[in-house]
Amino acid sequence: MSENVHSLLLEEQMERWRNEAIARSQEFLDNWSAEKGISQHDIQVATLWQELKAKLTKIEDLRTKLESRKQEEYNILVAADLLTAEDQEKSKGRRKQAKGRRKQNLSSDNLEELQLLSEEIEELQKQSKLAREDRDKVAKRLQELSGIDKQELSRLSSDELDRQIDNLLDPNNPDAKMIQKLLGLQADWFDRFGRSYQFNAPLIKRSSVVAGTCIGIAKYIQDIEFDLCIVDEASKAMATEVLVPMARSRRWILVGDPKQLPPFQDEASRDTEFLNKYDLSGEEIRETLFDRLLETLPEACRKMLAIQHRMVAPIGNLIGECFYEGKLESARTDIDENLGLVLPQPVTWLTTSTLKNYREQAANSSYNNATEVKVIVKAIEELNIMAESAQKKYSIAVLSGYAAQLKLLNRQLSSKVKVWQYLTVECNTVDAFQGREADIVIYSVTRSNKENKIGFLRDKARLNVALSRGRVGLVIVGDHHFCRNLPTDNPLHRVLDYIENHSDDCQLTEATL
């Protein structure tokens, strides 16, 4: 679950909780006023006047804070010569342009300060919008009860609002001052209740299950202790991430796959000089807490989930044999018969070895392969015809390890995806697609050269991720002769061997254009 989704769910629960509290508060005031002989209608109107006053005060406070933060941001940009005095009248547009150039002109401290200010400004703008929406809701309800125009209500000052409340309540009534105090407390409580981080902990304490990201949840859990912490994708998390929720829990379950991609490693961790300085090895840097626990925990604390349910058996069996030493079984046997109209087998390698210009092309620090792109576009067009005929929608993920290949793919597919009504097509890197899935995966090998330079193709974990994303179909597009000439321990070489030796549900076939 993403941090944004987690925050949204928390906000929705807060709003429900807040509405319940408001209803109970109003019920108390109604009963209290009835006992004191005060008109319930007048109390309702007075409550709205008081609430409107609180909203207007909050809007003004937010406006003052927002202008102050914008001025601070402006001063930083001027000091860095990113914004001149003559730009002041157009400061909003100029500020936006200047922020785009800030990395080159600002010190790291100023850059960090500017980033924090930008985030605070964005949050203040969001709060201001919500406060104006709340004010309009109160003004609308007040208009219905008092008959005063909503626009006029929004223009009243705090003193004028107080006079309206005084006019409603009989000053000779001994309880008038008390009701005014109660109304003020109620309005302040309504504004705070469920709208502040202090309410997160009580809400979470009342919940049986709390979901969030490892780092994002730290904002909410505070001193709360959990009975059980379950961390999904634990093999992709750094120890510092996983330890945040684990430190707040009595028991842990970590779920992950050490044979897929590890967490992102920064440049320092790949710097030989840095590693030598601190007497570290590359393996030590790459090792995750999940890896360490797998290695050191007793057998009773480790469990392999040996049955996969995502991929149909032909794909699952290939993955199990090539990446999991044959220990992974497949539960799905429901082969999609429609795919047989386009693909000879659920696992198909379309080799480009016999086509013209099948070699890779260098593109800055990356590589692309125009012939593979043509083959992929043609294959997707055929899949679209099949899907339309079958009146069935399919999701297709086109994956590659090279940004230049994805750029070329997106350029060729951009005009076509709009007319393919039965397909959703996404081109992405293998790393970005980990944890996701699609009906059909098309993997572009991309590399093909006389020197047998393989780059990313030596990475077993990356290839495992790429080939295990498809639910019903897997298509590999590339020069199989190049892959056959790779070292025998190369993962693509092993995949090719498997496909050639399992003709019942896999096939190597020549691509055509």
Side-chain angles (χ1 to χ4, degrees):
M1 178 182 291
S2 73
E3 186 176 341
N4 288 339
V5 173
H6 171 255
S7 298
L8 181 60
L9 292 173
L10 188 62
E11 288 173 8
E12 289 177 353
Q13 180 59 38
M14 281 289 190
E15 193 63 26
R16 287 193 292 269
W17 198 14
R18 181 173 181 273
N19 290 335
E20 290 175 10
I22 289 174
R24 291 184 183 182
S25 172
Q26 192 62 53
E27 182 182 1
F28 167 80
L29 270 181
D30 289 344
N31 293 335
W32 188 89
S33 60
E35 291 176 4
K36 303 299 180 180
I38 302 173
S39 166
Q40 289 193 12
H41 176 271
D42 289 347
I43 287 294
Q44 290 177 1
V45 175
T47 299
L48 291 172
W49 282 120
Q50 192 68 51
E51 195 173 345
L52 183 60
K53 176 184 174 181
K55 299 301 180 189
L56 292 175
T57 302
K58 183 175 183 178
I59 289 171
E60 188 57 39
D61 288 344
L62 288 169
R63 183 184 295 117
T64 301
K65 288 181 182 179
L66 186 57
E67 289 305 316
S68 173
R69 299 301 180 270
K70 285 184 176 180
Q71 186 61 47
E72 290 178 40
E73 181 187 58
Y74 178 82
N75 292 340
I76 293 174
L77 294 172
V78 170
D81 291 329
L82 292 178
L83 199 64
T84 62
E86 63 182 330
D87 294 329
Q88 187 166 5
E89 291 184 2
K90 301 179 179 178
S91 61
K92 184 177 180 181
R94 298 294 183 182
R95 193 158 53 231
K96 186 176 180 180
Q97 295 175 22
K99 285 161 71 176
R101 302 190 297 269
R102 65 191 186 193
K103 289 187 177 180
Q104 299 175 353
N105 300 71
L106 290 172
S107 67
S108 58
D109 289 343
N110 281 342
L111 182 59
E112 183 178 355
E113 184 178 359
L114 193 62
Q115 181 62 38
L116 291 173
L117 277 172
S118 296
E119 292 174 0
E120 189 173 356
I121 287 171
E122 185 178 348
E123 180 60 28
L124 286 170
Q125 288 172 333
K126 178 183 176 182
Q127 290 180 23
S128 297
K129 181 182 177 183
L130 291 173
R132 289 193 298 271
E133 290 174 352
D134 286 345
R135 176 203 62 192
D136 292 342
K137 290 177 183 177
V138 174
K140 182 179 179 181
R141 286 159 52 205
L142 193 51
Q143 176 181 311
E144 294 171 354
L145 292 176
S146 69
I148 303 176
D149 182 71
K150 187 171 71 171
Q151 297 299 324
E152 183 179 345
L153 289 170
S154 299
R155 291 193 292 268
L156 295 177
S157 66
S158 293
D159 290 339
E160 289 171 324
L161 291 170
D162 283 335
R163 283 195 292 273
Q164 292 288 347
I165 296 172
D166 291 339
N167 292 336
L168 278 171
L169 302 175
D170 182 1
N172 297 319
N173 189 323
D175 296 308
K177 289 186 178 180
M178 177 58 73
I179 194 66
Q180 283 184 304
K181 288 183 180 180
L182 289 173
L183 289 171
L185 286 171
Q186 184 192 54
D188 183 58
W189 184 239
F190 286 177
D191 189 55
R192 294 172 182 267
F193 193 90
R195 300 288 177 83
S196 173
Y197 70 91
Q198 289 103 329
F199 289 90
N200 292 336
L203 176 60
I204 290 175
K205 283 181 178 178
R206 293 178 56 184
S207 304
S208 299
V209 179
V210 178
T213 60
C214 289
I215 299 301
I217 204 171
K219 294 191 299 184
Y220 305 105
I221 61 176
Q222 300 171 358
D223 295 328
I224 300 171
E225 188 173 281
F226 295 93
D227 296 313
L228 177 66
C229 168
I230 303 175
V231 182
D232 192 21
E233 295 287 359
S235 57
K236 279 207 62 153
M238 302 290 290
T240 48
E241 294 176 90
V242 181
L243 286 171
V244 172
M246 286 177 64
R248 302 290 187 185
S249 306
R250 298 187 183 94
R251 294 179 297 159
W252 317 318
I253 297 177
L254 274 63
V255 183
D257 187 347
K259 294 183 180 293
Q260 296 197 0
L261 289 169
F264 171 77
Q265 305 291 335
D266 58 27
E267 289 298 325
S269 66
R270 295 191 291 270
D271 188 326
T272 304
E273 185 177 340
F274 172 84
L275 296 177
N276 291 336
K277 180 180 178 180
Y278 294 98
D279 194 24
L280 296 169
S281 67
E283 290 72 21
E284 288 173 321
I285 289 291
R286 286 189 292 270
E287 186 181 45
T288 65
L289 179 61
F290 186 76
D291 294 328
R292 175 61 64 89
L293 292 174
L294 272 181
E295 183 181 338
T296 58
L297 285 176
E299 185 67 29
C301 295
R302 292 177 286 160
K303 175 68 176 177
M304 178 177 176
L305 303 178
I307 301 177
Q308 67 83 20
H309 298 265
R310 176 198 300 143
M311 303 164 277
V312 293
I315 304 174
N317 293 341
L318 178 147
I319 299 298
E321 185 67 30
C322 295
F323 300 100
Y324 295 92
E325 294 79 43
K327 297 177 182 177
L328 188 65
E329 299 178 16
S330 298
R332 289 191 60 179
T333 58
D334 53 318
I335 304 301
D336 190 320
E337 300 296 336
N338 295 313
L339 284 184
L341 301 174
V342 179
L343 304 175
Q345 294 291 354
V347 177
T348 298
W349 186 310
L350 297 176
T351 179
T352 58
S353 301
T354 59
L355 298 176
K356 293 181 180 179
N357 304 317
Y358 63 93
R359 295 292 192 186
E360 69 193 43
Q361 297 89 38
N364 296 323
S365 58
S366 186
Y367 296 91
N368 61 32
N369 191 310
T371 297
E372 286 188 22
V373 170
K374 292 177 183 177
V375 171
I376 291 169
V377 172
K378 181 174 181 287
I380 297 177
E381 287 175 335
E382 292 174 352
L383 286 168
N384 180 64
I385 294 171
M386 175 275 294
E388 187 172 3
S389 175
Q391 293 291 290
K392 184 177 179 180
K393 294 188 176 183
Y394 291 87
S395 58
I396 298 178
V398 185
L399 305 179
S400 173
Y402 295 92
Q405 181 72 344
L406 293 174
K407 184 176 180 180
L408 192 58
L409 279 161
N410 280 315
R411 189 185 306 153
Q412 295 297 318
L413 292 169
S414 60
S415 62
K416 298 178 183 293
V417 293
K418 298 175 184 177
V419 298
W420 290 337
Q421 297 182 0
Y422 288 87
L423 299 181
T424 56
V425 181
E426 177 183 352
C427 300
N428 215 329
T429 62
V430 178
D431 300 58
F433 208 74
Q434 175 157 319
R436 299 173 57 192
E437 57 190 62
D439 293 322
I440 303 165
V441 162
I442 301 177
Y443 177 66
S444 175
V445 175
T446 308
R447 302 302 300 270
S448 174
N449 54 73
K450 296 178 181 179
E451 297 81 17
N452 286 336
K453 293 181 178 179
I454 56 177
F456 284 136
L457 303 187
R458 69 167 61 88
D459 193 325
K460 189 174 182 179
R462 183 169 279 106
L463 187 64
N464 180 17
V465 171
L467 304 189
S468 61
R469 301 300 97 195
R471 288 187 285 262
V472 296
L474 170 63
V475 182
I476 302 172
V477 179
D479 175 9
H480 84 286
H481 285 315
F482 169 76
C483 296
R484 180 176 285 136
N485 289 328
L486 296 176
T488 54
D489 60 348
N490 182 275
L492 258 180
H493 188 286
R494 188 170 185 182
V495 168
L496 179 60
D497 277 348
Y498 181 92
I499 290 174
E500 290 182 315
N501 291 313
H502 292 80
S503 57
D504 288 345
D505 45 28
C506 303
Q507 185 165 324
L508 171 70
T509 187
E510 292 184 2
T512 59
L513 291 175

